Structures are given as structure tokens and as C-alpha cells.
Short mmCIF file of all heavy atoms in Angstrom, two decimals:
data_model
loop_
_atom_site.label_atom_id
_atom_site.label_comp_id
_atom_site.label_asym_id
_atom_site.label_seq_id
_atom_site.Cartn_x
_atom_site.Cartn_y
_atom_site.Cartn_z
N ASN A 518 0.82 -1.25 0.00
CA ASN A 518 0.01 -0.02 0.04
C ASN A 518 0.88 1.25 0.01
O ASN A 518 0.62 2.22 -0.69
CB ASN A 518 -0.94 0.01 1.15
CG ASN A 518 -1.91 1.15 1.23
OD1 ASN A 518 -2.65 1.40 0.26
ND2 ASN A 518 -1.84 1.98 2.26
N LEU A 519 1.98 1.29 0.83
CA LEU A 519 2.94 2.38 0.79
C LEU A 519 3.48 2.59 -0.62
O LEU A 519 3.59 3.62 -1.14
CB LEU A 519 4.02 2.13 1.77
CG LEU A 519 3.68 2.09 3.26
CD1 LEU A 519 4.95 1.83 4.16
CD2 LEU A 519 2.95 3.41 3.69
N ARG A 520 3.93 1.41 -1.28
CA ARG A 520 4.54 1.52 -2.60
C ARG A 520 3.54 2.10 -3.63
O ARG A 520 3.85 2.85 -4.48
CB ARG A 520 5.02 0.22 -3.02
CG ARG A 520 6.01 0.24 -4.16
CD ARG A 520 6.61 -1.13 -4.45
NE ARG A 520 5.61 -1.96 -5.14
CZ ARG A 520 5.44 -2.05 -6.44
NH1 ARG A 520 6.13 -1.32 -7.31
NH2 ARG A 520 4.51 -2.89 -6.94
N SER A 521 2.21 1.74 -3.53
CA SER A 521 1.18 2.10 -4.45
C SER A 521 0.93 3.58 -4.31
O SER A 521 0.42 4.27 -5.27
CB SER A 521 -0.08 1.22 -4.35
OG SER A 521 -0.63 1.46 -2.98
N ASN A 522 1.31 4.13 -3.18
CA ASN A 522 1.03 5.58 -2.89
C ASN A 522 2.37 6.37 -3.18
O ASN A 522 2.45 7.54 -2.76
CB ASN A 522 0.57 5.81 -1.45
CG ASN A 522 -0.77 5.27 -1.20
OD1 ASN A 522 -1.62 5.36 -2.03
ND2 ASN A 522 -1.07 4.81 0.01
N GLY A 523 3.30 5.75 -3.85
CA GLY A 523 4.51 6.44 -4.31
C GLY A 523 5.55 6.41 -3.32
O GLY A 523 6.60 7.18 -3.51
N ARG A 524 5.51 5.68 -2.34
CA ARG A 524 6.50 5.62 -1.32
C ARG A 524 7.55 4.47 -1.64
O ARG A 524 7.16 3.38 -2.19
CB ARG A 524 6.00 5.27 0.06
CG ARG A 524 5.02 6.30 0.51
CD ARG A 524 5.74 7.36 1.38
NE ARG A 524 6.19 6.72 2.64
CZ ARG A 524 5.47 6.39 3.67
NH1 ARG A 524 4.16 6.68 3.69
NH2 ARG A 524 6.05 5.88 4.78
N ALA A 525 8.84 4.66 -1.51
CA ALA A 525 9.90 3.67 -1.70
C ALA A 525 9.90 2.76 -0.49
O ALA A 525 10.01 3.21 0.66
CB ALA A 525 11.29 4.29 -1.92
N VAL A 526 9.73 1.42 -0.73
CA VAL A 526 9.72 0.44 0.31
C VAL A 526 10.93 -0.45 0.07
O VAL A 526 10.95 -1.23 -0.92
CB VAL A 526 8.44 -0.37 0.33
CG1 VAL A 526 8.48 -1.38 1.50
CG2 VAL A 526 7.26 0.60 0.52
N SER A 527 11.86 -0.48 0.88
CA SER A 527 13.12 -1.30 0.81
C SER A 527 12.91 -2.59 1.67
O SER A 527 12.14 -2.57 2.55
CB SER A 527 14.32 -0.54 1.25
OG SER A 527 14.24 -0.31 2.75
N PRO A 528 13.66 -3.63 1.28
CA PRO A 528 13.66 -4.84 2.20
C PRO A 528 14.06 -4.46 3.53
O PRO A 528 13.59 -5.14 4.48
CB PRO A 528 14.63 -5.69 1.49
CG PRO A 528 14.69 -5.36 0.03
CD PRO A 528 14.43 -3.82 0.11
N GLY A 529 14.97 -3.57 3.69
CA GLY A 529 15.48 -3.15 5.07
C GLY A 529 14.30 -2.59 5.93
O GLY A 529 14.23 -2.88 7.12
N TYR A 530 13.50 -1.83 5.22
CA TYR A 530 12.31 -1.16 5.99
C TYR A 530 11.37 -2.29 6.39
O TYR A 530 10.90 -2.32 7.61
CB TYR A 530 11.59 -0.19 5.08
CG TYR A 530 10.30 0.28 5.64
CD1 TYR A 530 10.33 1.37 6.57
CD2 TYR A 530 9.06 -0.23 5.41
CE1 TYR A 530 9.19 1.83 7.27
CE2 TYR A 530 7.93 0.20 5.93
CZ TYR A 530 7.88 1.30 6.85
OH TYR A 530 6.79 1.70 7.45
N PHE A 531 11.10 -3.14 5.46
CA PHE A 531 10.17 -4.35 5.76
C PHE A 531 10.71 -5.18 6.95
O PHE A 531 10.00 -5.45 7.84
CB PHE A 531 10.04 -5.24 4.55
CG PHE A 531 9.40 -6.59 4.81
CD1 PHE A 531 8.09 -6.73 4.97
CD2 PHE A 531 10.22 -7.71 4.97
CE1 PHE A 531 7.48 -7.99 5.32
CE2 PHE A 531 9.67 -8.96 5.24
CZ PHE A 531 8.23 -9.10 5.35
N TYR A 532 11.95 -5.45 6.87
CA TYR A 532 12.59 -6.41 7.94
C TYR A 532 12.64 -5.72 9.33
O TYR A 532 12.37 -6.30 10.30
CB TYR A 532 13.95 -6.92 7.50
CG TYR A 532 14.51 -8.05 8.27
CD1 TYR A 532 13.84 -9.16 8.55
CD2 TYR A 532 15.74 -7.92 8.90
CE1 TYR A 532 14.18 -10.23 9.22
CE2 TYR A 532 16.29 -8.97 9.67
CZ TYR A 532 15.52 -10.12 9.85
OH TYR A 532 15.95 -11.18 10.58
N LYS A 533 13.00 -4.36 9.25
CA LYS A 533 13.00 -3.68 10.48
C LYS A 533 11.70 -3.55 11.14
O LYS A 533 11.52 -3.74 12.37
CB LYS A 533 13.60 -2.19 10.26
CG LYS A 533 13.69 -1.40 11.56
CD LYS A 533 14.66 -1.94 12.49
CE LYS A 533 14.87 -1.05 13.72
NZ LYS A 533 15.67 -1.66 14.76
N THR A 534 10.63 -3.35 10.37
CA THR A 534 9.24 -3.30 10.85
C THR A 534 8.86 -4.69 11.39
O THR A 534 8.23 -4.74 12.51
CB THR A 534 8.31 -2.88 9.73
OG1 THR A 534 8.73 -1.64 9.15
CG2 THR A 534 6.85 -2.75 10.28
N ALA A 535 9.28 -5.75 10.68
CA ALA A 535 8.99 -7.09 11.14
C ALA A 535 9.66 -7.37 12.51
O ALA A 535 9.00 -7.84 13.45
CB ALA A 535 9.42 -8.12 10.14
N GLN A 536 10.88 -6.88 12.71
CA GLN A 536 11.55 -7.07 14.00
C GLN A 536 10.86 -6.38 15.07
O GLN A 536 10.75 -6.83 16.21
CB GLN A 536 13.00 -6.52 13.84
CG GLN A 536 13.97 -7.46 13.09
CD GLN A 536 15.36 -6.85 13.02
OE1 GLN A 536 15.53 -5.64 12.83
NE2 GLN A 536 16.38 -7.70 13.24
N ASN A 537 10.37 -5.15 14.83
CA ASN A 537 9.69 -4.29 15.83
C ASN A 537 8.36 -5.09 16.19
O ASN A 537 7.97 -5.09 17.40
CB ASN A 537 9.33 -2.99 15.33
CG ASN A 537 10.47 -2.12 15.09
OD1 ASN A 537 11.50 -2.22 15.84
ND2 ASN A 537 10.53 -1.15 14.24
N TRP A 538 7.68 -5.72 15.27
CA TRP A 538 6.47 -6.50 15.52
C TRP A 538 6.78 -7.60 16.42
O TRP A 538 6.03 -7.95 17.33
CB TRP A 538 5.79 -6.87 14.30
CG TRP A 538 5.08 -5.83 13.42
CD1 TRP A 538 5.32 -4.47 13.62
CD2 TRP A 538 4.06 -5.91 12.64
NE1 TRP A 538 4.50 -3.76 12.74
CE2 TRP A 538 3.65 -4.69 12.10
CE3 TRP A 538 3.38 -7.07 11.99
CZ2 TRP A 538 2.69 -4.51 11.22
CZ3 TRP A 538 2.39 -6.80 11.06
CH2 TRP A 538 2.02 -5.58 10.66
N LEU A 539 7.87 -8.29 16.11
CA LEU A 539 8.24 -9.51 16.95
C LEU A 539 8.51 -9.08 18.32
O LEU A 539 8.06 -9.70 19.30
CB LEU A 539 9.47 -10.13 16.29
CG LEU A 539 9.23 -11.00 15.03
CD1 LEU A 539 10.60 -11.27 14.35
CD2 LEU A 539 8.50 -12.27 15.35
N GLU A 540 9.28 -8.03 18.50
CA GLU A 540 9.66 -7.52 19.89
C GLU A 540 8.42 -7.11 20.65
O GLU A 540 8.36 -7.25 21.84
CB GLU A 540 10.66 -6.41 19.80
CG GLU A 540 12.07 -6.82 19.26
CD GLU A 540 12.98 -5.77 18.93
OE1 GLU A 540 12.55 -4.59 19.19
OE2 GLU A 540 14.11 -5.98 18.50
N ASP A 541 7.44 -6.55 19.87
CA ASP A 541 6.20 -6.11 20.63
C ASP A 541 5.15 -7.18 20.69
O ASP A 541 4.03 -6.89 21.12
CB ASP A 541 5.67 -4.89 19.79
CG ASP A 541 6.64 -3.70 19.87
OD1 ASP A 541 7.46 -3.68 20.80
OD2 ASP A 541 6.40 -2.74 19.17
N GLY A 542 5.47 -8.38 20.27
CA GLY A 542 4.45 -9.52 20.40
C GLY A 542 3.38 -9.43 19.46
O GLY A 542 2.17 -9.99 19.72
N ILE A 543 3.51 -8.84 18.25
CA ILE A 543 2.44 -8.75 17.27
C ILE A 543 2.38 -10.06 16.57
O ILE A 543 3.16 -10.29 15.58
CB ILE A 543 2.70 -7.63 16.25
CG1 ILE A 543 2.99 -6.26 16.92
CG2 ILE A 543 1.56 -7.50 15.22
CD1 ILE A 543 1.78 -5.74 17.80
N ASP A 544 1.59 -11.03 17.08
CA ASP A 544 1.65 -12.39 16.50
C ASP A 544 0.24 -12.91 16.13
O ASP A 544 0.05 -14.09 15.94
CB ASP A 544 2.24 -13.32 17.54
CG ASP A 544 1.66 -13.29 18.86
OD1 ASP A 544 0.68 -12.53 18.99
OD2 ASP A 544 2.12 -13.97 19.71
N THR A 545 -0.75 -11.96 16.02
CA THR A 545 -2.10 -12.42 15.55
C THR A 545 -2.56 -11.33 14.60
O THR A 545 -2.13 -10.23 14.54
CB THR A 545 -3.08 -12.45 16.74
OG1 THR A 545 -3.26 -11.06 17.25
CG2 THR A 545 -2.55 -13.37 17.83
N PRO A 546 -3.49 -11.77 13.63
CA PRO A 546 -4.05 -10.83 12.69
C PRO A 546 -4.67 -9.60 13.37
O PRO A 546 -4.62 -8.46 12.81
CB PRO A 546 -5.04 -11.58 11.86
CG PRO A 546 -4.62 -12.97 12.08
CD PRO A 546 -3.90 -13.16 13.27
N ALA A 547 -5.34 -9.75 14.51
CA ALA A 547 -5.97 -8.68 15.19
C ALA A 547 -4.92 -7.63 15.69
O ALA A 547 -5.10 -6.40 15.55
CB ALA A 547 -6.77 -9.14 16.34
N LEU A 548 -3.86 -8.08 16.24
CA LEU A 548 -2.79 -7.23 16.70
C LEU A 548 -2.09 -6.44 15.53
O LEU A 548 -1.72 -5.41 15.63
CB LEU A 548 -1.76 -8.04 17.57
CG LEU A 548 -2.21 -8.54 18.88
CD1 LEU A 548 -1.17 -9.41 19.56
CD2 LEU A 548 -2.62 -7.30 19.90
N ALA A 549 -1.90 -7.31 14.49
CA ALA A 549 -1.36 -6.77 13.27
C ALA A 549 -2.14 -5.59 12.67
O ALA A 549 -1.71 -4.52 12.31
CB ALA A 549 -1.11 -7.78 12.21
N GLU A 550 -3.57 -5.90 12.68
CA GLU A 550 -4.41 -4.81 12.20
C GLU A 550 -4.45 -3.54 13.02
O GLU A 550 -4.37 -2.45 12.46
CB GLU A 550 -5.88 -5.40 12.12
CG GLU A 550 -6.89 -4.41 11.68
CD GLU A 550 -6.76 -4.08 10.20
OE1 GLU A 550 -6.22 -4.97 9.37
OE2 GLU A 550 -7.12 -3.03 9.77
N SER A 551 -4.36 -3.72 14.34
CA SER A 551 -4.14 -2.61 15.23
C SER A 551 -2.88 -1.79 15.00
O SER A 551 -2.97 -0.56 14.97
CB SER A 551 -4.29 -3.04 16.67
OG SER A 551 -4.14 -1.95 17.54
N ARG A 552 -1.84 -2.51 14.84
CA ARG A 552 -0.59 -1.89 14.63
C ARG A 552 -0.55 -1.15 13.28
O ARG A 552 -0.04 0.06 13.13
CB ARG A 552 0.64 -2.84 14.70
CG ARG A 552 1.96 -2.31 14.32
CD ARG A 552 2.42 -1.18 15.25
NE ARG A 552 2.41 -1.48 16.55
CZ ARG A 552 3.47 -1.91 17.24
NH1 ARG A 552 4.63 -2.13 16.52
NH2 ARG A 552 3.49 -2.21 18.51
N ILE A 553 -1.09 -1.73 12.26
CA ILE A 553 -1.20 -1.13 10.80
C ILE A 553 -2.03 0.20 10.98
O ILE A 553 -1.65 1.19 10.36
CB ILE A 553 -1.75 -2.02 9.89
CG1 ILE A 553 -0.70 -3.12 9.61
CG2 ILE A 553 -2.11 -1.33 8.60
CD1 ILE A 553 -1.26 -4.31 8.69
N CYS A 554 -3.12 0.21 11.74
CA CYS A 554 -3.85 1.43 11.95
C CYS A 554 -3.07 2.52 12.51
O CYS A 554 -3.07 3.70 12.16
CB CYS A 554 -5.10 1.08 12.78
SG CYS A 554 -6.44 0.14 12.00
N GLU A 555 -2.25 2.10 13.62
CA GLU A 555 -1.35 3.06 14.20
C GLU A 555 -0.35 3.63 13.27
O GLU A 555 -0.06 4.88 13.16
CB GLU A 555 -0.57 2.45 15.44
CG GLU A 555 -1.47 2.09 16.61
CD GLU A 555 -0.69 1.36 17.64
OE1 GLU A 555 0.55 1.35 17.59
OE2 GLU A 555 -1.36 0.85 18.63
N LEU A 556 0.19 2.73 12.43
CA LEU A 556 1.24 3.16 11.44
C LEU A 556 0.69 4.11 10.42
O LEU A 556 1.27 5.16 10.04
CB LEU A 556 1.88 1.98 10.79
CG LEU A 556 2.74 1.03 11.68
CD1 LEU A 556 3.15 -0.19 10.89
CD2 LEU A 556 4.00 1.81 12.02
N GLU A 557 -0.52 3.78 9.93
CA GLU A 557 -1.19 4.64 8.88
C GLU A 557 -1.56 6.01 9.50
O GLU A 557 -1.41 7.02 8.72
CB GLU A 557 -2.43 3.97 8.39
CG GLU A 557 -2.12 2.63 7.55
CD GLU A 557 -3.38 1.94 7.14
OE1 GLU A 557 -4.44 2.17 7.68
OE2 GLU A 557 -3.23 1.13 6.10
N LYS A 558 -1.96 6.04 10.73
CA LYS A 558 -2.24 7.35 11.42
C LYS A 558 -0.94 8.23 11.52
O LYS A 558 -0.98 9.42 11.17
CB LYS A 558 -2.85 7.13 12.68
CG LYS A 558 -4.31 6.68 12.71
CD LYS A 558 -4.82 6.51 14.13
CE LYS A 558 -6.25 5.94 14.13
NZ LYS A 558 -6.76 5.63 15.52
N THR A 559 0.12 7.53 11.88
CA THR A 559 1.34 8.29 12.00
C THR A 559 1.89 8.72 10.62
O THR A 559 2.45 9.84 10.46
CB THR A 559 2.47 7.38 12.65
OG1 THR A 559 1.99 6.91 13.90
CG2 THR A 559 3.74 8.15 12.93
N ASP A 560 1.68 7.89 9.67
CA ASP A 560 2.07 8.18 8.23
C ASP A 560 1.38 9.49 7.74
O ASP A 560 1.92 10.32 7.14
CB ASP A 560 1.90 7.00 7.34
CG ASP A 560 2.82 5.93 7.52
OD1 ASP A 560 3.95 6.19 8.10
OD2 ASP A 560 2.54 4.74 7.16
N ALA A 561 0.05 9.44 8.00
CA ALA A 561 -0.81 10.59 7.59
C ALA A 561 -0.37 11.84 8.26
O ALA A 561 -0.33 12.86 7.66
CB ALA A 561 -2.31 10.25 7.85
N PHE A 562 -0.16 11.75 9.55
CA PHE A 562 0.24 12.92 10.31
C PHE A 562 1.68 13.43 9.84
O PHE A 562 1.84 14.60 9.73
CB PHE A 562 0.31 12.63 11.82
CG PHE A 562 0.75 13.80 12.68
CD1 PHE A 562 -0.08 14.80 12.94
CD2 PHE A 562 2.06 13.87 13.15
CE1 PHE A 562 0.25 15.87 13.69
CE2 PHE A 562 2.42 14.96 13.90
CZ PHE A 562 1.49 15.98 14.20
#
């Protein structure tokens, strides 16, 4: 979704975000959805 909106998405960005999710215990679709909502709000701001 970021890439389709004109943002450059590198493998490093993907992997770093995945590491943060692991450290924060994001291990279910519900928690992932909540985190994505937070990220999208921060991105928009």
C-alpha cells in the first residue's frame, strides 16, 4: 500500500518493521491490524 502511494519500500524497511512487531508481540491478525492502523495514522500525520 505504501508503494502504491508512491513511497519507496526497501527490504530493510520491511525487515526492521517485522523485527519491531516480533519484539512487541504482534503475532495475531488482530494485533497486526491494530498496529497497521497506528502506522497509517502516524504516516498521515
Side-chain angles (χ1 to χ4, degrees):
N518 184 56
L519 293 180
R520 195 174 74 88
S521 64
N522 289 327
R524 300 265 297 279
V526 180
S527 68
Y530 175 83
F531 165 78
Y532 193 52
K533 180 63 177 175
T534 305
Q536 284 181 316
N537 291 330
W538 285 23
L539 287 166
E540 291 172 1
D541 294 342
I543 307 297
D544 56 4
T545 66
L548 291 174
E550 180 66 28
S551 177
R552 175 56 61 89
I553 288 172
C554 287
E555 291 176 10
L556 290 171
E557 289 177 342
K558 287 178 181 178
T559 307
D560 287 340
F562 180 77

